[in-house]
Amino acid sequence: MAALLKSLVGASEKSARIAQLCRQEEALFQLLIEEKTGTDKNKKFVQDFKTLADVLIQEVIKHDVGKEFPELRGHIGGEESNQFENSLGETLVVQVCATQQDTASLLFTILDRNQPAAELLAAAIHQEVALQDPALDAVALAIPPERLAIWIDPIDSTNQYIRGQARVAPIDGICPSGLCSALVLIGAYDRSSGDPVLGVINEPFFREDPLTHRWQGVYHWGISYQGTSLASLHRPPLRPEPCVVLSSSETPAIQRALRPLYGERLRFASGAGYKMLCVILGLAEAYVLSEGSTFKWDSCAPHAILRALGGGMVDLEAALQAWRAGQRGALPELTYNQPAAGAVGAERWANRGGLVAFMHREHLEVVMATLTTAAL
């Protein structure tokens, strides 16, 4: 497990550097954007975009992790297709080639024959990432990789990544929007049970160096497997005045139901992964989402870290049904190995019943009791 964890963390660090690189030059960045259509589109957005950075990062993670762990090949999934259309109307398959030169040649075609940009990105893709983290080396838990599969969200909150707002003032530590919500999410789950096992969240835009104006990132990880829990973070305490983080598009009915519990401490933020991270970091006690607008690649990594810290992520619709039936024990949590029946495209992997991400069981029970009695 130490080797797999280090591989995923290393892949997230390389991914963060690619994401940072692609945002540094606006002229380069404008070459990288494509609008999603058809079944790849998130129904939540009028316009749903992917960038070449998304596609590159996903392919880099697949390539690097699959090379080190061949037993995972064919079991690494993600949000993006690996096809990208350049401004010349050419549709090309994005992949990591055997050599840096070959990758640069492919990117040269994708990037409208822009040789400097192609060479810059190819160098980032083929760079070696050296991790200096004793905590990673100390992980001694053994999990057979052949029992696992992986979900990747290469850049969660792509719309915020495209907008590129660097200086958004936080409210009680939670940024309502901005680059800080653009995260790299890599989660591993048990192929048989669907339970989240290992999660890595990388924040590429954690801090901007005031002198160089280059971005510095930070990563977090957690493991929850057969009663063993390990994490890079400590469990935040349950605060006497709790806060909840919501999507700005959350329904008025849910907002009305939660306001008596939270008062003025309803916070709104972009990016599903970022809102889950707010719960992990103790900036919010819960993230409540009533719509099926998140996907397995959004929630797998944060869910694993929450479980490692003693929290979890329930399927809101199923949990409400269980609560109304008098069930007060373990509530149905999200799982990651089964597509939604009757759905097509990206919707096959939607968390269709909504969700509640939580750190403390006591607070989850208060949320469930509140929503159960509300007229939703």
Side-chain angles (χ1 to χ4, degrees):
M1 174 50 70
L4 178 58
L5 176 60
K6 288 185 72 173
S7 179
L8 297 188
V9 170
S12 83
E13 281 285 88
K14 181 184 288 191
S15 300
R17 295 174 192 179
I18 294 171
Q20 293 161 351
L21 176 65
C22 289
R23 275 268 31 148
Q24 284 171 9
E25 298 293 338
E26 189 62 27
L28 165 62
F29 188 71
Q30 292 305 316
L31 296 172
L32 310 183
I33 303 171
E34 173 183 281
E35 185 173 356
K36 294 182 185 177
T37 59
T39 58
D40 287 338
K41 180 181 174 69
N42 186 340
K43 63 183 180 182
K44 179 179 177 181
F45 301 113
V46 175
Q47 288 180 300
D48 186 19
F49 294 95
K50 69 179 177 183
T51 69
L52 183 61
D54 289 279
V55 183
L56 279 177
I57 287 170
Q58 184 166 293
E59 293 308 304
V60 163
I61 295 170
K62 285 183 176 181
H63 174 271
D64 289 5
V65 176
K67 182 178 180 181
E68 191 170 354
F69 296 93
E71 59 269 51
L72 287 173
R73 291 176 185 165
H75 298 281
I76 304 176
E79 178 177 10
E80 309 298 350
S81 74
N82 65 342
Q83 291 188 335
F84 195 87
E85 183 176 321
N86 65 13
S87 65
L88 304 177
E90 299 167 321
T91 299
L92 301 148
V93 175
V94 180
Q95 60 183 337
V96 179
C97 301
T99 68
Q100 182 174 323
Q101 183 177 358
D102 289 342
T103 300
S105 296
L106 173 63
L107 291 173
F108 174 74
T109 306
I110 294 171
L111 293 171
D112 302 345
R113 316 301 193 265
N114 188 317
Q115 188 69 40
E119 291 179 354
L120 194 64
L121 282 176
I125 289 167
H126 286 271
Q127 70 179 328
E128 294 294 328
V129 175
L131 295 172
Q132 304 293 330
D133 189 340
L136 289 174
D137 296 328
V139 175
L141 185 63
I143 305 175
E146 61 270 15
R147 294 188 56 177
L148 302 179
I150 292 172
W151 280 119
I152 305 164
D153 192 339
I155 301 179
D156 188 54
S157 197
T158 300
N159 286 346
Q160 293 300 318
Y161 180 67
I162 291 171
R163 291 189 178 102
Q165 293 178 297
R167 295 175 179 85
V168 177
I171 301 172
D172 294 333
I174 298 175
C175 289
S177 60
L179 267 175
C180 66
S181 62
L183 311 176
V184 178
L185 309 174
I186 309 175
Y189 63 93
D190 186 294
R191 293 183 203 173
S192 177
S193 68
D195 292 334
V197 170
L198 187 158
V200 177
I201 298 176
N202 200 300
E203 301 181 69
F205 305 100
F206 178 70
R207 180 185 295 112
E208 187 179 15
D209 188 290
L211 297 177
T212 66
H213 298 290
R214 294 189 177 275
W215 286 100
Q216 300 169 343
V218 64
Y219 60 79
H220 318 286
W221 56 266
I223 299 170
S224 176
Y225 182 70
Q226 294 186 347
T228 298
S229 296
L230 301 168
S232 60
L233 297 162
H234 296 292
R235 189 186 199 203
L238 181 63
R239 299 182 296 179
E241 294 187 341
C243 162
V244 66
V245 63
L246 305 171
S247 168
S248 59
S249 62
E250 185 53 74
T251 65
I254 289 290
Q255 294 187 43
R256 285 194 301 270
L258 293 174
R259 194 165 292 280
L261 177 59
Y262 295 104
E264 297 305 311
R265 297 181 301 279
L266 269 65
R267 300 287 176 255
F268 299 90
S270 298
Y274 177 71
K275 290 188 278 286
M276 295 168 192
L277 178 62
C278 287
V279 180
I280 290 168
L281 297 176
L283 299 172
E285 273 61 45
Y287 163 38
V288 178
L289 179 68
S290 63
E291 299 177 332
S293 56
T294 67
F295 298 84
K296 301 306 181 186
W297 46 79
D298 295 311
S299 57
C300 186
H303 193 174
I305 298 175
L306 281 167
R307 284 169 65 104
L309 294 171
M313 201 177 303
V314 299
D315 179 309
L316 176 57
E317 183 178 347
L320 284 173
Q321 290 176 354
W323 194 270
R324 289 170 179 144
Q327 181 178 329
R328 297 296 184 267
L331 295 172
E333 296 214 0
L334 298 181
T335 55
Y336 296 89
N337 60 339
Q338 294 294 332
V344 297
E347 289 299 311
R348 297 173 66 239
W349 301 106
N351 297 315
R352 301 176 84 178
L355 60 88
V356 179
F358 66 96
M359 182 60 70
H360 295 272
R361 170 75 191 194
E362 305 96 303
H363 193 72
L364 173 65
E365 292 178 356
V366 173
V367 171
M368 296 309 301
T370 300
L371 294 181
T372 299
T373 57
L376 300 179

